Amino acid sequence: MATTASPGRHGFAYQPALDGLRAVAVIAVILYHLDLEWMSGGFLGVDTFFVLSGYLITSLLLVEYETTGTVSLRDFWVRRAKRLLPAALLLLLVVAVYSWAVAPTDRLGTIRGDSLATLAYVANWRFILDDASYFELWSEASPLRHMWSLAIEEQFYVLWPLIVLGLLRAGRGRPTALTISCLLGTAGSVVLMAVLADVDRSRAYFGTDTRAHTILVGALLAILLRRAPTPSATATRAVHAAGAAAIVLVGVAFVIVDDADIAFYRGGSLAFSVLVAVVITAGVSNHSSLVASLLDRSALRWIGQISYGLYLWHWPMIVWLTPERVGTDGFGLDTIRVVATFACTIVSYRMVEQPIRHRRTRPSRVARVVPAAMAITAVAVVAGTAGATTNPLDQEADFEIAVATPTTTAAPTTTATPESTPDATADDAIATTSTTIPERVESIALIGDSVAGSLAPAMSEALTGAGYVFLDAHVHGCGVASGLTVTETGERFPWSEECVERVPTVHERLVDDHDPDLIVWHSTWETADRLIGDTFLEFGTGPHDAALAEEIDTVMRRLTRRGARVVILVAPPNAPSAFLAEPDPTDMLHLATQLEAAAMRFDELSLIDLNPIVCPGGPPCPEQVDDLTLRPDGGHYSNDAAVWLVAELLDDLASS
């Protein structure tokens, strides 16, 4: 996200259309992160920045070498530091203050790690190697999750000048070796992204090596335009026409491409990068073009000039300005977030970035100031995140029962016998069982883990709107059935013991204090391996099945001792996602058979199989149903998907 070169530096003139393109890119990213359905491909704005950076930095290096016979690495890195570090350090200091004043203790460890990785410009590799992605997705997101792309760019700024200088010297000023290296690097990066996407989509998305082709396409464009002869009138018209077509296709890609689409990883990213390169070619043409006239607008140029700050600040504003904190949602919330983003950006740009960037400073002084500033920032981060805990269940609120009262005057009477979902068949659906049902259901409770939690807001709105009291007693990270959950290597999760000790208490309070008529159970942690005493039990084995069946029976007796009915939402296997391209359905299918057996043991228990709705046709489950991405991480439901699914289930729940 480098800025366009200063006018006349080594003969590389300012190109206003590139600021316009940068504006388009950052707007696309912001709209994408605001979760607007019609901007599913807005993440490609990052790819646009990568291509721009490859083109601009390589052009600067080539021009400097042609002019002076060398590249001043010291001057290059000083310029980059003065341009990029002040705003980034300011953001990290604000994050540190936020962490100290607002962030819950279970988020501090993540924020500290993300901050230090951002400071070292290795955030993308931290996100690849991070083992805590489960809770980061479904608690408040890290305010620095977007810094992965800046890490890749900084890694490029450190290494690329060395590579360019070395290859140009080896070729005695001719760019042949540099061109061949760019072509080989591009090919290797594209192949690696395609291969890794089938194994680990997150690795393919965040990797410096898998993203390198986008930057190298820009570098190749810089080499081509530096070596190309003055184009003829016919060639110029062809470039202008290609640029007009390319900018339309870029706009279409912003709207229709999905980051979970495997086509993006299998050459789609390269194709988009080439389109951006064509747009750049038309935009920097010495002749007027449609692309240049579209992008060379004063408003776009201004946004492009502050695009770095907009990118830095937009994601923290989205994370911090939540509906609960602001008191509104929808368009009003998005407007507040955008206004706050521009306000922070303008303050940073005028009071920090520009004064430091244009101040005359000796390189030796910069070499002293930068490490000191980074050290001070690191200390502030560590201080601001003091008190971090690795236990995501540290807050008492995680074990509270939320009560939502009906928004209509009376709950409906339920007398019908529950049936399986309309699309289910005898072969693919678990039968819904029922005997005695209350004449009137007035209150419905939800228990389960974070998968249930992802449905809770939509369920609360739908059920209270239908006249029911809704009780939310789900607990992130804890299954409904008790037992000490462990990793595949037998190590306890940090929160396992609290689950064992406190979840039964929550369920007892739910029954004693609220006496719900119907309890909805939705959980996937039952598929975890367990410790019974000192004995390790692997899920899917006979001993684990027996232990889990006993735990389910214990829970059922606890939940139904005052006459409540229980309905279990049978979870489908995970869907493919950016985190796991080919999830194994075995565990979830095995759990379904155990739940079916439990329904045969208890008259008060019925099952609603989600497979015909969420996973039609059986595994592998589709990433989308009815053009809606249901489970972005493969397991938890998005807000829109939750609303859709609850609407599908409402009749079945009412009759359970």
Side-chain angles (χ1 to χ4, degrees):
M1 299 169 193
T3 56
T4 312
S6 302
R9 178 164 183 88
H10 297 307
F12 188 61
Y14 170 69
Q15 301 288 350
L18 299 188
D19 270 337
L21 181 58
R22 188 177 289 105
V24 170
V26 77
I27 290 170
V29 172
I30 292 173
L31 294 177
Y32 170 74
H33 282 153
L34 288 173
D35 201 23
L36 301 180
E37 291 184 6
W38 52 270
M39 189 56 76
S40 63
F43 71 96
L44 292 169
V46 171
D47 294 68
T48 305
F49 280 121
F50 285 160
V51 178
L52 272 167
S53 291
Y55 167 73
L56 289 167
I57 296 305
T58 305
S59 296
L60 284 169
L61 295 172
L62 290 175
V63 170
E64 182 174 355
Y65 192 90
E66 292 170 5
T67 304
T68 66
T70 189
V71 171
S72 174
L73 298 175
R74 183 195 66 178
D75 290 350
F76 176 87
W77 288 326
V78 165
R79 291 195 301 270
R80 291 298 90 207
K82 292 177 66 176
R83 172 67 185 96
L84 300 175
L85 271 179
L89 296 182
L90 176 62
L91 172 64
L92 289 174
L93 290 173
V94 171
V95 168
V97 172
Y98 164 83
S99 302
W100 171 76
V102 178
T105 57
D106 62 283
R107 300 302 300 149
L108 295 180
T110 295
I111 295 174
R112 175 189 296 171
D114 291 352
S115 297
L116 296 177
T118 296
L119 190 61
Y121 286 105
V122 292
N124 63 315
W125 293 106
R126 167 173 165 78
F127 298 151
I128 289 171
L129 298 174
D130 189 0
D131 292 329
S133 60
Y134 174 86
F135 282 102
E136 290 180 19
L137 282 170
W138 302 107
S139 54
E140 183 177 281
S142 167
L144 298 171
R145 179 61 72 174
H146 64 314
M147 299 300 284
W148 68 272
S149 62
L150 294 179
I152 290 177
E153 290 212 13
E154 282 298 320
Q155 293 158 27
F156 167 69
Y157 296 149
V158 170
L159 296 176
W160 191 238
L162 293 169
I163 294 171
V164 171
L165 179 59
L167 291 176
L168 288 177
R169 283 181 173 173
R172 298 182 179 180
R174 292 187 297 273
T176 304
L178 180 61
T179 303
I180 293 173
S181 297
C182 286
L183 288 170
L184 293 175
T186 298
S189 174
V190 170
V191 170
L192 186 61
M193 173 178 267
V195 170
L196 289 176
D198 290 329
V199 180
D200 185 346
R201 199 75 61 85
S202 181
R203 171 67 176 84
Y205 191 86
F206 289 124
T208 305
D209 45 7
T210 54
R211 288 287 189 160
H213 64 274
T214 57
I215 298 176
L216 293 177
V217 165
L220 282 167
L221 177 64
I223 298 169
L224 175 64
L225 294 185
R226 290 301 301 173
R227 305 295 293 180
T230 302
S232 64
T234 301
T236 298
R237 286 193 296 270
V239 168
H240 290 177
I247 200 169
V248 170
L249 291 175
V250 165
V252 170
F254 284 152
V255 174
I256 69 171
V257 175
D258 191 294
D259 60 3
D261 189 349
I262 192 62
F264 169 75
Y265 301 90
R266 295 176 178 171
S269 177
L270 175 63
F272 181 82
S273 300
V274 172
L275 288 176
V276 174
V278 174
V279 172
I280 293 173
T281 303
V284 302
S285 172
N286 291 328
H287 304 273
S288 61
S289 67
L290 177 61
V291 169
S293 63
L294 287 174
L295 297 177
D296 186 8
R297 306 281 176 165
S298 58
L300 286 179
R301 291 199 309 272
W302 177 70
I303 293 174
Q305 289 165 3
I306 63 171
S307 60
Y308 175 59
L310 291 174
Y311 186 85
L312 285 180
W313 289 101
H314 84 280
W315 181 245
M317 294 303 103
I318 291 173
V319 171
W320 294 339
L321 300 178
T322 62
E324 294 76 17
R325 289 171 178 162
V326 178
T328 187
D329 56 12
F331 179 77
L333 177 62
D334 289 345
T335 301
I336 292 171
R337 288 166 165 172
V338 170
V339 170
T341 297
F342 272 88
C344 292
T345 298
I346 292 170
V347 169
S348 172
Y349 185 76
R350 293 182 176 177
M351 299 185 65
V352 177
E353 298 173 54
Q354 289 298 94
I356 293 176
R357 183 184 179 190
H358 295 295
R359 180 181 301 163
R360 288 186 173 273
T361 308
R362 294 190 303 273
S364 58
R365 178 173 174 79
V366 174
R368 293 194 303 270
V369 169
V370 167
M374 295 179 73
I376 292 171
T377 304
V379 170
V381 165
V382 173
T385 55
T389 173
T390 59
N391 189 343
L393 306 178
D394 183 68
Q395 300 181 85
E396 185 67 26
D398 286 328
F399 292 92
E400 291 299 318
I401 299 170
V403 181
T405 55
T407 56
T408 59
T409 56
T413 300
T414 59
T415 58
T417 300
E419 299 176 355
S420 57
T421 52
D423 295 332
T425 68
D427 293 329
D428 63 9
I430 297 173
T432 303
T433 60
S434 175
T435 55
T436 305
I437 56 176
E439 292 184 359
R440 187 176 186 83
V441 173
E442 296 182 350
S443 58
I444 300 177
L446 175 68
I447 61 175
D449 55 18
S450 60
V451 179
S454 66
L455 294 175
M459 194 173 289
S460 177
E461 182 175 356
L463 292 177
T464 55
Y468 299 97
V469 173
F470 177 70
L471 305 157
D472 182 7
H474 83 274
V475 180
H476 283 228
C478 297
V480 174
S482 189
L484 198 64
T485 54
V486 295
T487 68
E488 293 179 354
T489 60
E491 297 179 7
R492 302 178 183 187
F493 293 101
W495 55 90
S496 295
E497 292 184 4
E498 282 201 82
C499 290
V500 173
E501 295 172 2
R502 301 174 71 180
V503 168
T505 303
V506 172
H507 294 164
E508 289 172 356
R509 290 198 344 249
L510 176 68
V511 173
D512 291 339
D513 298 344
H514 302 282
D515 191 15
D517 301 312
L518 178 68
I519 299 174
V520 180
W521 170 343
H522 192 38
S523 174
T524 61
W525 270 93
E526 283 70 26
T527 60
D529 298 332
R530 294 167 187 271
L531 280 180
I532 302 297
D534 294 327
T535 304
F536 173 79
L537 301 180
E538 182 182 357
F539 181 80
T541 62
H544 190 288
D545 287 353
L548 182 57
E550 184 177 345
E551 292 292 346
I552 291 174
D553 291 355
T554 299
V555 172
M556 281 298 301
R557 289 190 291 269
R558 180 185 301 129
L559 297 177
T560 60
R561 58 190 170 82
R562 296 189 64 180
R565 287 195 53 76
V566 177
V567 57
I568 296 181
L569 303 181
V570 180
N574 282 359
S577 70
F579 299 92
L580 188 61
E582 297 181 0
D584 186 351
T586 306
D587 285 354
M588 295 309 302
L589 295 176
H590 185 71
L591 176 61
T593 63
Q594 292 181 278
L595 297 176
E596 185 176 10
M600 299 297 291
R601 298 194 298 271
F602 290 91
D603 292 338
E604 304 89 348
L605 174 61
S606 59
L607 308 179
I608 297 178
D609 188 10
L610 299 186
N611 278 276
I613 305 173
V614 177
C615 191
C621 297
E623 295 184 43
Q624 292 188 329
V625 175
D626 292 345
D627 297 324
L628 183 65
T629 300
L630 300 186
R631 298 178 287 169
D633 74 331
H636 301 77
Y637 295 92
S638 68
N639 293 335
D640 291 338
V643 172
W644 172 84
L645 179 57
V646 169
E648 293 283 323
L649 295 175
L650 197 56
D651 289 341
D652 284 333
L653 290 176
S655 60
S656 294

